[in-house]
Amino acid sequence: MHIALIAMSGIRAHNPELTELGMTLPGFVERGNAIASLPSLSLLTLAALIPERHTVSYHEVPDLTEATELPDADLVAISTFSAQVKEAYELADRYCGNGVTTVMGGLHVTSCPDEALQHCDAVAIGEGEVVWPQLLDDFESGTFESVYDARGCEFDLAEAPMPRFDLLDTDRYNRITVQTNRGCPWQCEFCASSILLTPRYKLKPVAKVIDEIREIKRLWPRPFVEFADDNSFVNKRRSRQLVEAMAEEDVRWFTETDISVADDTELLRLLREGGCAEVLIGLESPSVAGLDGLELKRNWKLKQIERYREAVGRIQAHGIAVNACFILGLDGDGPEIFEAVEQFVEETLPFDVQITVQTPFPGTPLYERLRQEGRLLEEGAWEKCTLFDVTYQPTGMTVQELEHGLVELGRRLYSEEATRHRKRSFVEQWRTGRRAGRAAEPEEVASR
Ligand code: B12
């Protein structure tokens, strides 16, 4: 049988003003272009679990438009996030209309399986590796079910299959994702990432990560790797092992982690040598009001606020660029937050900045709270779950103030001048760090 794997891909904002702005601001365009072409790691992972007797093909939307003839298949598997789920439903409707069995999975479907079932034959809830082999067996033997639920059955990342990177057109992609862990020890109210799949923080063995890196290097001579982790460096000892192993591979990479990475000087030193170009850190807010209560277990993020500036500086002094992420419109933050973020950025000078609006994704504690408080502007407006469109009533300002504040702050933070200034300052911070005996000279590393 032939299995067509279809990923909903691309990045977007629903509000045309934001899309327009995103297309014109240098700081934004660069990052947008870089990530827009990432392939779907979920589907490449599932592809690896398909027995050899079947054939498989990998496709992406928006390549498949309404006018395009759909790829032929006996079984279609669609992976989607919330923002594009309605287009995914249209696609599933088309396939089901043609009598082709269609299954959907991913973070959105995990949170809204009943909704998805109105458009497809079966849904996968949670970690795909747990249910996919059974689903395929059932399809072949004619005992197909409509719900495949992985919850309560943890997938061991030591068993992770090698993703089928070889299915990709190597000319089209140069940034490839690798997952080194799943879950996060913190429980931020808004988080819609892999914490929706697993309550545990679990690690992939370093040797397996390195095998994936080598497979990628076999296919792309000079790849850039994005770790698809939510929080890479929680376990500092294992992080040092991973980064030391990465140093042998001579690839450049990027990852997401929390501010505690600044605590481990040895890890910071290794990171630069290990090829890490940038770490993305969710600082979320420079204000106490915004951070208070945001991490639900121990209010951990609030406790970090005092050291934010120093920590960003320390990381950058080691030659690791920081992408500092802020969420606008958090409960407790009023219109003064836009200036507070700008001031923080001007004083701290992270290499990159990411501003988004608080977004209640389905399945998150935030979504449930705002729904109970009657603050969702429109239930089911998933196409607005872009991190840039406002979908709820903020407490400290109006919806319009938040929308306008985001656009105006974006104009200031991503202007050519501000972007250039941050990049230059990063090199200066690195140079100063070098003088203090912390890391290699910028030019030295750039020329490697
Ligand atoms: C890489 C990435 C991207 C890539 C995705 C490439 C692609 N086509 O997959 C790009 C850059 C294109 C992207 C775009 C966007 N992204 Co993004 N992205 C990520 C990131 C960093 C990693 C995702 C990943 O690869 N995970 C690893 C894989 C293995 O996990 P997985 O996808 O969950 O798959 C597992 C299961 O869900 C399941 N599964 C998944 N699909 C299927 C299908 C079937 C049939 C089955 C059986 C199982 C199954 O099995 C898999 C293995 O267990 C996450 C953040 C993070 N750290 O996780 C954000 C994240 C997924 N993105 C997010 C968002 C908001 C966006 C954008 C809306 C941003 C924007 N404004 O444009 C767009 C959405 C575009 C869209 N298509 O809808 C949110 C999504 C939240 C949500 N619930 O919807 C996340 C969680 C980040 C966040 N801040 O919250 N993103």
Side-chain angles (χ1 to χ4, degrees), residues 17-29 326 328 337-339 341-342 345-346 352-357 387-388 401-420 422:
E17 196 186 356
L18 290 170
T19 312
E20 180 96 349
L21 182 70
M23 285 194 275
T24 52
L25 295 170
F28 211 74
V29 174
F326 298 93
L328 303 169
I337 194 63
F338 304 113
E339 217 178 301
V341 169
E342 190 177 6
V345 170
E346 276 172 7
D352 273 327
V353 189
Q354 182 179 292
I355 48 167
T356 55
V357 291
L387 301 166
F388 302 114
E401 277 176 310
L402 179 52
E403 285 172 345
H404 182 73
L406 170 77
V407 170
E408 287 310 312
L409 181 60
R411 275 190 218 288
R412 298 197 296 274
L413 289 179
Y414 301 125
S415 73
E416 198 154 352
E417 195 192 343
T419 307
R420 198 178 327 114
R422 283 197 301 273

Side-chain angles (χ1 to χ4, degrees), residues 7-13 35-36 38-43 45-46 58 60 77-84 103-108 110 124 126-129 131-132 135 177 179 182 192-194 196-197 228-230 256 361-362 385-388:
M8 308 304 290
S9 241
I11 53 169
R12 57 187 48 224
I35 63 172
L38 289 175
S40 165
L41 186 58
S42 57
L43 291 181
T45 305
L46 297 184
Y58 171 83
E60 281 184 14
I78 303 176
S79 179
T80 182
F81 305 128
S82 297
Q84 253 180 306
V103 50
M104 298 183 77
L107 296 171
H108 184 90
T110 290
E127 297 180 283
E129 297 90 339
V131 292
W132 180 239
L135 186 155
T177 40
Q179 195 169 44
R182 240 173 236 176
S193 290
S194 61
L196 297 183
L197 303 176
D229 300 341
D230 297 331
E256 305 189 10
F361 285 102
C385 285
T386 62
L387 301 166
F388 302 114

